[in-house]
C-alpha cells in the first residue's frame, strides 16, 4: 500500500482540527496506518518553539525572527517525525505546514514569498505534501469562531484584520500556483458536508 502526506491549511477558526479527526477516523477504519501531527510543534522540541510563537504579545517577535522560529520547529518536526513516519509507510496528516509560513510570515508579515521559498529549500529541501486541503473562511467569521475557545494560544488571532485578510488572499493565491495539489473548500459548509468532500477527494486521488 502506498502512503501519502496530506496537509490542512486555512486561517483562524477554519475548522481544520475537526476535519483532521474525521479524516483520521475515515482512513483508520479502512486499515490505513495514520500519523496526525501539527505545526508549529509535533515533537517535544518543536512544541517548545510552538509555545514561544503562538502565545504572548503580538509584537513579541520581529517578523523574520518569528519566521525563523517556524522554520526551526519545522526542521525538528520533518527530521524527527515526518520523514521517519513516511519512511515507515504511515500516512501523515499535518495541521499546517510550510504554506502557513508562506501565508502568515511571507505575505501577512510582508517578508516576501520568494525569501520564504528560499529558506524552505535550504531548511527542508524538496519535501512537500501530496495533497493540501485549504479550508477557506472569511476572517471576520473565522476569528469570531475562535473567541468561543478558552486558550491562550491566541497571539495570531489578536493580529489585525488586514493581516488576516492578506493571508486569506495569500492562501488562495498559493492554491492557484499549485492547483493540482490543492483542494479549496468553503469552511462555512456543514461539518459533515466538508468531511464528505475530503474523504471523496482522498478516495479519488489515492490508492488504498
Ligand atoms: P493553530 O494550531 O490554531 O493552527 O495555530 C497555530 C498558529 O500559528 C496559527 O495562528 C498560525 C500560526 N502559524 C504561522 O504563523 N506560521 C506557520 O508557519 C505555522 C505553521 C503556523
Amino acid at each position: 500500500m502506498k502512503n501519502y502526506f496530506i496537509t490542512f491549511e486555512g486561517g483562524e477558526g477554519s475548522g481544520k482540527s475537526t476535519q483532521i479527526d474525521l479524516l483520521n477516523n475515515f482512513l483508520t477504519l479502512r486499515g490505513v496506518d495514520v500519523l496526525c501531527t501539527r505545526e508549529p510543534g509535533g515533537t517535544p522540541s518543536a512544541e517548545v518553539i510552538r509555545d514561544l510563537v503562538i502565545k504572548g504579545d503580538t509584537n513579541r517577535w520581529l517578523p523574520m525572527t518569528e519566521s525563523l522560529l517556524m522554520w526551526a520547529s519545522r526542521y525538528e518536526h520533518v527530521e524527527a517525525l515526518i520523514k521517519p513516519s513516511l519512511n515507515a509507510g504511515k500516512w501523515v496528516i499535518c495541521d499546517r505546514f510550510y504554506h502557513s509560513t508562506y501565508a502568515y510570515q511571507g505575505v501577512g508579515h510582508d517578508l516576501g514569498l520568494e525569501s520564504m521559498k528560499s529558506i524552505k529549500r535550504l531548511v527542508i529541501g524538496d519535501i512537500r505534501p501530496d495533497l493540501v486541503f485549504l479550508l477557506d473562511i472569511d476572517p471576520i467569521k473565522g476569528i469570531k469562531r475562535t473567541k468561543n475557545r478558552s486558550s491562550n494560544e491566541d497571539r495570531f488571532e489578536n493580529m489585525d484584520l488586514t493581516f488576516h485578510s492578506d493571508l486569506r488572499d495569500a492562501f488562495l493565491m498559493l492554491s492557484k500556483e499549485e492547483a493540482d495539489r490543492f483542494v479549496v473548500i468553503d469552511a462555512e459548509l456543514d461539518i459533515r458536508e466538508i468531511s464528505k468532500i475530503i474523504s471523496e477527494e482522498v478516495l479519488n486521488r489515492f490508492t488504498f
Side-chain angles (χ1 to χ4, degrees), residues 7-139:
T7 62
F8 281 73
E9 298 285 1
E12 308 300 314
S14 56
K16 293 176 285 92
S17 353
T18 308
Q19 293 303 329
I20 288 172
D21 285 348
L22 292 167
L23 178 59
N24 183 19
N25 291 344
F26 175 84
L27 291 172
T28 306
L29 282 172
R30 278 156 187 79
V32 175
D33 189 4
V34 185
L35 170 88
C36 289
T37 185
R38 68 173 182 180
E39 289 207 344
T43 67
S45 55
E47 289 287 328
V48 172
I49 302 175
R50 179 184 175 93
D51 263 6
L52 295 176
V53 280
I54 73 168
K55 293 178 183 168
D57 195 76
T58 49
N59 298 323
R60 182 174 183 185
W61 303 107
L62 291 171
M64 183 54 89
T65 316
E66 181 182 290
S67 98
L68 294 171
L69 287 166
M70 296 293 177
W71 289 111
S73 90
R74 181 162 303 124
Y75 180 71
E76 290 283 324
H77 190 210
V78 166
E79 292 301 316
L81 188 65
I82 297 181
K83 279 188 188 166
S85 302
L86 289 170
N87 290 338
K90 287 178 195 283
W91 288 44
V92 174
I93 302 177
C94 193
D95 188 341
R96 300 191 182 280
F97 199 43
Y98 60 81
H99 292 104
S100 277
T101 316
Y102 290 0
Y104 279 77
Q105 282 69 44
V107 176
H109 282 330
D110 220 9
L111 291 174
L113 272 181
E114 286 316 312
S115 61
M116 292 301 104
K117 288 182 179 178
S118 302
I119 301 178
K120 188 247 174 209
R121 278 190 293 275
L122 185 72
V123 177
I124 57 166
D126 61 8
I127 184 168
R128 53 185 162 175
D130 299 298
L131 178 59
V132 184
F133 288 108
L134 171 59
L135 300 184
D136 175 55
I137 190 159
D138 173 342

